[in-house]
Amino acid sequence: MVSGRWRSQYDGRTVRRASRVAVDRRVPLREAWRSGARRWNRATRRAFANDTGYAETVVVVTKQAQRAKHGRDVTRWRPRHATCAYTARYVAVKYRWRLGVDPGERRLIGRVLARCPSSATSVSRPARAWVRPLPNQRSRVPRPGGRPRSSNTGVPAGTKLTGHDGDLAVTQ
């Protein structure tokens, strides 16, 4: 990033100086690792970290907002600006990469989305990423804790992923 004008998704600020923006992964690397990426091969982990195939995986934000987030997952940090959209996009990224959702995330995502208007939780339907497990691993990435999920979508049970014309509505 050399020059331009960027609008930070986390705090809504518009920034004109590249030195004041940062690239952030909506689902932090540490959270991805705990949610199943530890079972991926190196190429898949690299593809996740640099995902340009879905605009919501890697986003431009102000450095101030990135420092506030500090690599925390949705249970420990959400932006005050556009919390509903952030949470829905977080779910969409987990869906794209077939990442697991732990019980704490599931409860919080359900509470947040229950208070959101549907217009705030409509996001672009992500194409499923090609997830390659390490040799001698099962192709299905299990949820943290090893317990099977009720579905293989990586999103909380009871969450409806519906849509048409490329949109994904995330509702409880």
Side-chain angles (χ1 to χ4, degrees), residues 60-75:
V60 175
V61 299
T62 60
K63 284 187 177 179
Q64 180 181 2
Q66 186 190 42
R67 281 190 299 270
K69 181 181 174 191
H70 193 60
R72 293 180 280 185
D73 72 4
V74 74
T75 62

PDB file of all heavy atoms in Angstrom, residues 60-75:
ATOM      1  N   VAL A  60      -8.322  -4.184   5.450  1.00  0.00           N
ATOM      2  CA  VAL A  60      -7.509  -3.023   5.805  1.00  0.00           C
ATOM      3  C   VAL A  60      -8.217  -2.279   6.931  1.00  0.00           C
ATOM      4  O   VAL A  60      -9.407  -1.980   6.827  1.00  0.00           O
ATOM      5  CB  VAL A  60      -7.306  -2.095   4.583  1.00  0.00           C
ATOM      6  CG1 VAL A  60      -6.562  -0.833   4.977  1.00  0.00           C
ATOM      7  CG2 VAL A  60      -6.559  -2.827   3.488  1.00  0.00           C
ATOM      8  N   VAL A  61      -7.470  -2.010   7.995  1.00  0.00           N
ATOM      9  CA  VAL A  61      -8.010  -1.306   9.161  1.00  0.00           C
ATOM     10  C   VAL A  61      -6.981  -0.289   9.642  1.00  0.00           C
ATOM     11  O   VAL A  61      -5.821  -0.341   9.243  1.00  0.00           O
ATOM     12  CB  VAL A  61      -8.361  -2.289  10.304  1.00  0.00           C
ATOM     13  CG1 VAL A  61      -9.423  -3.281   9.859  1.00  0.00           C
ATOM     14  CG2 VAL A  61      -7.139  -3.019  10.807  1.00  0.00           C
ATOM     15  N   THR A  62      -7.406   0.600  10.504  1.00  0.00           N
ATOM     16  CA  THR A  62      -6.434   1.529  11.071  1.00  0.00           C
ATOM     17  C   THR A  62      -5.503   0.761  12.001  1.00  0.00           C
ATOM     18  O   THR A  62      -5.888  -0.253  12.601  1.00  0.00           O
ATOM     19  CB  THR A  62      -7.113   2.657  11.866  1.00  0.00           C
ATOM     20  OG1 THR A  62      -7.861   2.072  12.943  1.00  0.00           O
ATOM     21  CG2 THR A  62      -8.027   3.500  10.992  1.00  0.00           C
ATOM     22  N   LYS A  63      -4.279   1.230  12.116  1.00  0.00           N
ATOM     23  CA  LYS A  63      -3.331   0.580  13.026  1.00  0.00           C
ATOM     24  C   LYS A  63      -3.852   0.626  14.453  1.00  0.00           C
ATOM     25  O   LYS A  63      -3.649  -0.305  15.226  1.00  0.00           O
ATOM     26  CB  LYS A  63      -1.958   1.242  12.923  1.00  0.00           C
ATOM     27  CG  LYS A  63      -1.209   0.835  11.685  1.00  0.00           C
ATOM     28  CD  LYS A  63       0.198   1.375  11.692  1.00  0.00           C
ATOM     29  CE  LYS A  63       0.949   0.872  10.467  1.00  0.00           C
ATOM     30  NZ  LYS A  63       2.311   1.378  10.415  1.00  0.00           N
ATOM     31  N   GLN A  64      -4.529   1.705  14.796  1.00  0.00           N
ATOM     32  CA  GLN A  64      -5.100   1.833  16.139  1.00  0.00           C
ATOM     33  C   GLN A  64      -6.111   0.714  16.400  1.00  0.00           C
ATOM     34  O   GLN A  64      -6.100   0.083  17.456  1.00  0.00           O
ATOM     35  CB  GLN A  64      -5.756   3.203  16.280  1.00  0.00           C
ATOM     36  CG  GLN A  64      -6.371   3.459  17.623  1.00  0.00           C
ATOM     37  CD  GLN A  64      -7.028   4.835  17.675  1.00  0.00           C
ATOM     38  OE1 GLN A  64      -7.064   5.574  16.708  1.00  0.00           O
ATOM     39  NE2 GLN A  64      -7.553   5.164  18.833  1.00  0.00           N
ATOM     40  N   ALA A  65      -6.981   0.435  15.426  1.00  0.00           N
ATOM     41  CA  ALA A  65      -7.975  -0.631  15.585  1.00  0.00           C
ATOM     42  C   ALA A  65      -7.305  -2.002  15.633  1.00  0.00           C
ATOM     43  O   ALA A  65      -7.698  -2.863  16.416  1.00  0.00           O
ATOM     44  CB  ALA A  65      -8.992  -0.581  14.449  1.00  0.00           C
ATOM     45  N   GLN A  66      -6.276  -2.189  14.823  1.00  0.00           N
ATOM     46  CA  GLN A  66      -5.570  -3.470  14.836  1.00  0.00           C
ATOM     47  C   GLN A  66      -4.893  -3.707  16.184  1.00  0.00           C
ATOM     48  O   GLN A  66      -4.915  -4.812  16.715  1.00  0.00           O
ATOM     49  CB  GLN A  66      -4.548  -3.547  13.708  1.00  0.00           C
ATOM     50  CG  GLN A  66      -3.919  -4.927  13.614  1.00  0.00           C
ATOM     51  CD  GLN A  66      -2.746  -4.985  12.672  1.00  0.00           C
ATOM     52  OE1 GLN A  66      -1.915  -4.092  12.659  1.00  0.00           O
ATOM     53  NE2 GLN A  66      -2.684  -6.056  11.893  1.00  0.00           N
ATOM     54  N   ARG A  67      -4.311  -2.669  16.747  1.00  0.00           N
ATOM     55  CA  ARG A  67      -3.680  -2.813  18.066  1.00  0.00           C
ATOM     56  C   ARG A  67      -4.723  -3.138  19.130  1.00  0.00           C
ATOM     57  O   ARG A  67      -4.471  -3.924  20.038  1.00  0.00           O
ATOM     58  CB  ARG A  67      -2.903  -1.547  18.434  1.00  0.00           C
ATOM     59  CG  ARG A  67      -1.547  -1.457  17.754  1.00  0.00           C
ATOM     60  CD  ARG A  67      -0.706  -0.334  18.323  1.00  0.00           C
ATOM     61  NE  ARG A  67      -1.293   0.979  18.168  1.00  0.00           N
ATOM     62  CZ  ARG A  67      -1.100   1.794  17.123  1.00  0.00           C
ATOM     63  NH1 ARG A  67      -0.320   1.420  16.138  1.00  0.00           N
ATOM     64  NH2 ARG A  67      -1.666   2.974  17.086  1.00  0.00           N
ATOM     65  N   ALA A  68      -5.893  -2.529  19.022  1.00  0.00           N
ATOM     66  CA  ALA A  68      -6.957  -2.809  19.996  1.00  0.00           C
ATOM     67  C   ALA A  68      -7.404  -4.270  19.901  1.00  0.00           C
ATOM     68  O   ALA A  68      -7.641  -4.924  20.917  1.00  0.00           O
ATOM     69  CB  ALA A  68      -8.141  -1.877  19.764  1.00  0.00           C
ATOM     70  N   LYS A  69      -7.496  -4.792  18.698  1.00  0.00           N
ATOM     71  CA  LYS A  69      -7.899  -6.189  18.500  1.00  0.00           C
ATOM     72  C   LYS A  69      -6.805  -7.138  18.978  1.00  0.00           C
ATOM     73  O   LYS A  69      -7.092  -8.139  19.634  1.00  0.00           O
ATOM     74  CB  LYS A  69      -8.194  -6.449  17.026  1.00  0.00           C
ATOM     75  CG  LYS A  69      -8.636  -7.863  16.755  1.00  0.00           C
ATOM     76  CD  LYS A  69      -8.899  -8.085  15.283  1.00  0.00           C
ATOM     77  CE  LYS A  69      -9.200  -9.541  15.015  1.00  0.00           C
ATOM     78  NZ  LYS A  69      -9.203  -9.839  13.603  1.00  0.00           N
ATOM     79  N   HIS A  70      -5.584  -6.854  18.653  1.00  0.00           N
ATOM     80  CA  HIS A  70      -4.402  -7.579  19.118  1.00  0.00           C
ATOM     81  C   HIS A  70      -4.524  -9.099  18.947  1.00  0.00           C
ATOM     82  O   HIS A  70      -4.227  -9.874  19.854  1.00  0.00           O
ATOM     83  CB  HIS A  70      -4.115  -7.214  20.570  1.00  0.00           C
ATOM     84  CG  HIS A  70      -2.767  -7.659  21.054  1.00  0.00           C
ATOM     85  ND1 HIS A  70      -1.592  -7.235  20.484  1.00  0.00           N
ATOM     86  CD2 HIS A  70      -2.410  -8.513  22.044  1.00  0.00           C
ATOM     87  CE1 HIS A  70      -0.581  -7.796  21.098  1.00  0.00           C
ATOM     88  NE2 HIS A  70      -1.039  -8.582  22.047  1.00  0.00           N
ATOM     89  N   GLY A  71      -5.030  -9.527  17.797  1.00  0.00           N
ATOM     90  CA  GLY A  71      -5.093 -10.956  17.512  1.00  0.00           C
ATOM     91  C   GLY A  71      -6.130 -11.735  18.291  1.00  0.00           C
ATOM     92  O   GLY A  71      -6.078 -12.957  18.337  1.00  0.00           O
ATOM     93  N   ARG A  72      -7.075 -11.061  18.913  1.00  0.00           N
ATOM     94  CA  ARG A  72      -8.088 -11.759  19.718  1.00  0.00           C
ATOM     95  C   ARG A  72      -9.251 -12.239  18.852  1.00  0.00           C
ATOM     96  O   ARG A  72      -9.571 -11.629  17.847  1.00  0.00           O
ATOM     97  CB  ARG A  72      -8.589 -10.847  20.824  1.00  0.00           C
ATOM     98  CG  ARG A  72      -7.494 -10.568  21.849  1.00  0.00           C
ATOM     99  CD  ARG A  72      -7.954  -9.683  22.947  1.00  0.00           C
ATOM    100  NE  ARG A  72      -7.919  -8.314  22.463  1.00  0.00           N
ATOM    101  CZ  ARG A  72      -8.164  -7.257  23.205  1.00  0.00           C
ATOM    102  NH1 ARG A  72      -8.509  -7.396  24.459  1.00  0.00           N
ATOM    103  NH2 ARG A  72      -8.104  -6.048  22.690  1.00  0.00           N
ATOM    104  N   ASP A  73      -9.906 -13.303  19.294  1.00  0.00           N
ATOM    105  CA  ASP A  73     -11.046 -13.833  18.545  1.00  0.00           C
ATOM    106  C   ASP A  73     -12.322 -13.075  18.901  1.00  0.00           C
ATOM    107  O   ASP A  73     -12.312 -12.140  19.704  1.00  0.00           O
ATOM    108  CB  ASP A  73     -11.200 -15.335  18.776  1.00  0.00           C
ATOM    109  CG  ASP A  73     -11.706 -15.700  20.161  1.00  0.00           C
ATOM    110  OD1 ASP A  73     -12.031 -14.803  20.955  1.00  0.00           O
ATOM    111  OD2 ASP A  73     -11.779 -16.905  20.462  1.00  0.00           O
ATOM    112  N   VAL A  74     -13.418 -13.485  18.303  1.00  0.00           N
ATOM    113  CA  VAL A  74     -14.698 -12.781  18.443  1.00  0.00           C
ATOM    114  C   VAL A  74     -15.224 -12.778  19.882  1.00  0.00           C
ATOM    115  O   VAL A  74     -15.985 -11.897  20.257  1.00  0.00           O
ATOM    116  CB  VAL A  74     -15.742 -13.355  17.448  1.00  0.00           C
ATOM    117  CG1 VAL A  74     -16.229 -14.716  17.907  1.00  0.00           C
ATOM    118  CG2 VAL A  74     -16.890 -12.404  17.214  1.00  0.00           C
ATOM    119  N   THR A  75     -14.804 -13.725  20.708  1.00  0.00           N
ATOM    120  CA  THR A  75     -15.284 -13.734  22.095  1.00  0.00           C
ATOM    121  C   THR A  75     -14.566 -12.701  22.953  1.00  0.00           C
ATOM    122  O   THR A  75     -15.072 -12.300  23.990  1.00  0.00           O
ATOM    123  CB  THR A  75     -15.097 -15.116  22.764  1.00  0.00           C
ATOM    124  OG1 THR A  75     -13.712 -15.441  22.802  1.00  0.00           O
ATOM    125  CG2 THR A  75     -15.879 -16.186  22.031  1.00  0.00           C
TER     126      THR A  75
END
